[in-house]
Amino acid sequence: MIEALDRAESIVVMTGAGASAESGVPTFRDALTGLWAKYDPMELATPQAFARDAELVTRWYDRRRVDALAAQPNAGHEALVRMQRRVEGRGGRFTLVTQNVDRLHQRAGSTGVIELHGTLLRWRCVRCGEERDESGGAMASLPPVCASCGGARRPGVVWFGEALPEGAMERAAIEAERCDVFMTIGTSSVVYPAAGLVDVAIRGGAMTVEINAEATPATGRVTHALAGRSGEILPEIVRRLEVGRHDA
Ligand code: BV8
Ligand code: ZN
């Protein structure tokens, strides 16, 4: 596996909430620890929930926004930055596709990140569409009110039943189809269309690698399934690449 990674001219990495877990950001399905234990994320991450109770939904997202800003990128995020620089440094292609909305990859130094599900750090008005960066302090109200038209503002994430950002899936699929190595990291591989990317890579003939704390529906389909924490496995992979040791 290490040798294939070392020779690869094109690598695609897709990450999910597990890649941020070691930064202390709760994964999606346990993002409801504590005061949120009584809600189902599948219920809160929908336009219907926002229409029904914009205050409750934006309180949940603002809590996650504040937590994401307080979190630091972990060793797994940093290993992906080193992998990208290695591949691009030898003229190869490296595409990081993420389902995560916390922007920790970008804060670690990853570039050209494709955010399939948007981000907590940009909010937009549901009435006039005005979009603004929200990487600062507390919101004035929940839901926040648009300064231009007084409309309610929502987090710039993709809710269940909503289309992904224009072109995001298309760009990710093109890269997945043509890559030599596809890695799926820290995702339960149950949310579509993101979870379908590994199959695009398999059809394109890529070597596929899963790094995840537990088995998923993708585990049986990938070339190499590595069970464990991304914050440990990714740095070890990059260390072996950097010392040129291919015994793996
Ligand atoms: C779409 C943003 C069509 C919000 C998210 C019925 C009704 C309606 C829709 C559907 C339906 N059936 C299917 C669908 C489609 C639906 C879907 O896939 N549903 C599934 C659940 C059945 N998909 C959609 O609705 C998508 N849109 O299809 O639109 C359309 C087309 C045109 C026009 C209109 C509509 C939109 C999906 C995006 C939803 N938004 N997030 C928010 O964050 O609140 S998805 C949400 O789940 C997360 O953001 C994340 O992106 C996604 C997957 O979660 P994971 O990242 O995998 O996290 P999870 O906690 O599940 O797993 C973490 C894993 O990490 C675990 O396996 C764990 O073991 C592992 N782990 C933990 N620690 C570590 C670790 N691994 C390694 N190291 C560690 N340290
Ligand atoms: Zn507005």
Side-chain angles (χ1 to χ4, degrees):
M1 181 192 76
I2 297 287
E3 186 143 353
L5 266 172
D6 204 18
R7 277 201 319 267
E9 276 159 30
S10 169
I11 296 179
V12 174
V13 173
M14 183 174 77
T15 58
S20 291
E22 290 160 88
S23 296
V25 176
T27 59
F28 189 74
R29 278 155 187 72
D30 63 33
L32 289 161
T33 48
L35 69 162
W36 298 107
K38 56 183 183 297
Y39 296 101
D40 169 1
M42 298 290 292
E43 276 308 300
L44 279 173
T46 65
Q48 293 76 9
F50 180 78
R52 195 172 48 243
D53 190 344
E55 194 267 332
L56 171 73
V57 170
T58 52
R59 202 148 48 86
W60 184 51
Y61 278 98
D62 190 48
R63 170 78 270 152
R64 291 174 56 196
R65 179 186 71 89
V66 169
D67 291 348
L69 289 169
Q72 294 307 318
N74 64 56
H77 291 116
E78 284 151 11
L80 290 174
V81 176
R82 296 214 317 269
M83 195 184 288
Q84 175 171 12
R85 290 177 181 158
R86 249 180 85 77
V87 173
E88 292 179 346
R90 61 170 191 253
R93 288 176 77 81
F94 184 94
T95 307
L96 177 54
V97 183
T98 189
Q99 299 174 88
N100 297 339
V101 294
D102 57 31
R103 291 214 153 156
L104 285 175
H105 284 303
Q106 294 91 328
R107 283 178 48 201
S110 292
T111 55
V113 180
I114 299 176
E115 291 179 321
L116 293 180
H117 296 159
T119 177
L120 290 168
L121 305 185
R122 288 187 70 77
W123 287 50
R124 71 171 179 276
C125 173
V126 293
R127 187 184 296 166
C128 74
E130 185 189 83
E131 194 173 294
R132 268 197 12 219
D133 208 60
E134 293 294 348
S135 304
M139 300 267 185
S141 65
L142 289 172
V145 173
C146 174
S148 307
C149 78
R153 299 173 67 232
R154 58 166 283 181
V157 298
V158 178
W159 281 329
F160 287 99
E162 291 188 320
L164 272 57
E166 182 69 33
M169 206 41 215
E170 292 72 12
R171 282 183 15 248
I174 288 167
E175 295 303 332
E177 207 279 330
R178 58 175 282 187
C179 71
D180 304 313
V181 177
F182 182 94
M183 304 179 82
T184 169
I185 301 174
T187 178
S188 54
S189 295
V190 294
V191 173
Y192 282 81
L197 277 176
V198 66
D199 299 301
V200 173
I202 290 170
R203 277 198 303 278
M207 177 185 85
T208 51
V209 180
E210 178 184 56
I211 298 173
N212 205 62
E214 63 194 358
T216 75
T219 306
R221 308 205 300 271
V222 294
T223 322
H224 301 285
L226 309 177
R229 297 154 68 100
S230 53
E232 286 156 23
I233 295 176
L234 279 171
E236 177 54 22
I237 288 174
V238 173
R239 193 187 63 75
R240 290 189 189 189
L241 286 169
E242 286 170 349
V243 301
R245 276 195 35 220
H246 295 163
D247 54 326

